[in-house]
């Protein structure tokens, strides 16, 4: 097993957002998150805790406009930080799949850290928002994250009625799939017949 600490740190400033993210893949899911959107903070905290990836996320966004730039740009930077932490992506399990229930809701995430980014997102929500978080931004967050981390990601919400439960199940399913995928494989090799990802 490789004992090297895998970390990623990205600072990104635009006219719309100012973001700092530091992650430790082999942390213990400790988080310090402030995006200005309470429900989004709640989801990112769950993502950190359940993936075991420690995260510091500080975001200042143009929330006077809406939540779009803040959430999407956080996905971009978190994906970049993950890619930086994984470097060549050698020595990892690479694949992860998880089904997560949240009361009446059930979500599934299956992913491949492949350097071939793609997102399939099949989730229907009833309401427009949870707090200051627009539910349509769930797809935008995961698309930005997947494309910047180099992940093929399939997310399916199988069923549910409460939007809070549905979104939380999605984030936790992604977290547990990610936890498996970034873990070390048995011999430190690149899990690909090509020998490289």
């Amino acid at each position: 097993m490789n004992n090297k600490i895998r970390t990623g740190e990205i600072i990104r400033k635009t006219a719309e957002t100012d973001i700092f993210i530091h992650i430790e893949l082999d942390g213990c899911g400790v988080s310090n998150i402030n995006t200005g959107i309470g429900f989004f903070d709640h989801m990112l905290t769950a993502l950190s805790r359940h993936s075991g990836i420690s995260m510091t996320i500080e975001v200042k966004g143009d929330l006077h406009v809406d939540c779009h730039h803040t959430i999407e740009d956080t996905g971009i930077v978190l994906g970049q930080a993950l890619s930086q932490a994984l470097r060549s992506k050698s020595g990892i399990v690479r694949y992860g799949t998880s089904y997560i229930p949240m009361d009446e809701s059930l979500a599934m995430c299956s992913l491949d850290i492949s350097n071939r980014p793609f997102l399939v997102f099949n989730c229907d929500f009833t309401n427009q928002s949870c707090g200051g978080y627009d539910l349509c931004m769930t797809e935008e967050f995961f698309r930005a994250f997947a494309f910047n981390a180099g992940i093929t990601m399939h997310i399916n919400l199988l069923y549910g009625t409460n939007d809070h439960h549905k979104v939380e199940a999605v984030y936790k399913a992604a977290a547990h799939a990610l936890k498996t995928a970034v873990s070390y494989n048995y011999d430190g090799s690149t899990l690909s017949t090509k020998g490289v990802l």
Side-chain angles (χ1 to χ4, degrees):
M1 180 175 170
N2 190 337
N3 291 320
K4 186 175 181 180
I5 297 173
R6 299 176 294 172
T7 65
E9 184 172 299
I10 303 289
I11 297 172
R12 182 178 188 264
K13 295 183 180 183
T14 72
E16 298 166 341
T17 57
D18 182 348
I19 300 175
F20 168 83
I21 293 182
H22 176 88
I23 65 169
E24 294 185 9
L25 297 192
D26 308 301
C28 48
V30 175
S31 62
N32 181 8
I33 296 169
N34 181 18
T35 67
I37 305 167
F39 186 79
F40 190 37
D41 291 353
H42 178 42
M43 294 301 100
L44 292 174
T45 299
L47 184 67
S48 173
R49 181 62 176 163
H50 286 267
S51 67
I53 300 172
S54 293
M55 301 180 185
T56 298
I57 300 176
E58 290 289 337
V59 184
K60 294 178 181 177
D62 56 356
L63 294 178
H64 62 283
V65 176
D66 65 10
C67 65
H68 189 114
H69 300 138
T70 296
I71 295 172
E72 183 177 33
D73 288 8
T74 300
I76 290 170
V77 180
L78 185 58
Q80 291 172 345
L82 180 66
S83 182
Q84 185 184 91
L86 289 171
R87 294 171 178 82
S88 68
K89 300 179 172 64
S90 63
I92 59 170
V93 171
R94 177 179 163 180
Y95 295 95
T97 298
S98 181
Y99 286 80
I100 293 294
M102 180 72 182
D103 295 349
E104 85 297 339
S105 300
L106 180 66
M108 180 276 284
C109 177
S110 188
L111 59 83
D112 173 14
I113 302 175
S114 61
N115 265 343
R116 296 190 307 277
F118 200 84
L119 177 69
V120 175
F121 188 88
N122 296 309
C123 304
D124 291 322
F125 304 111
T126 304
N127 299 297
Q128 178 179 339
S129 63
C130 282
Y133 176 98
D134 289 348
L135 293 166
C136 65
M137 290 307 301
T138 308
E139 181 173 4
E140 299 305 320
F141 169 78
F142 281 107
R143 179 179 291 110
F145 174 69
F147 274 73
N148 283 274
I151 297 175
T152 296
M153 178 177 280
H154 292 245
I155 297 175
N156 292 289
L157 178 65
L158 283 75
Y159 47 78
T161 55
N162 182 289
D163 282 334
H164 184 130
H165 297 162
K166 289 190 283 187
V167 178
E168 190 162 345
V170 164
Y171 274 86
K172 288 179 178 177
H176 281 272
L178 198 58
K179 183 176 185 177
T180 300
V182 303
S183 63
Y184 290 110
N185 65 20
Y186 63 95
D187 65 356
S189 65
T190 299
L191 190 59
S192 170
T193 54
K194 296 188 291 291
V196 65
L197 293 175

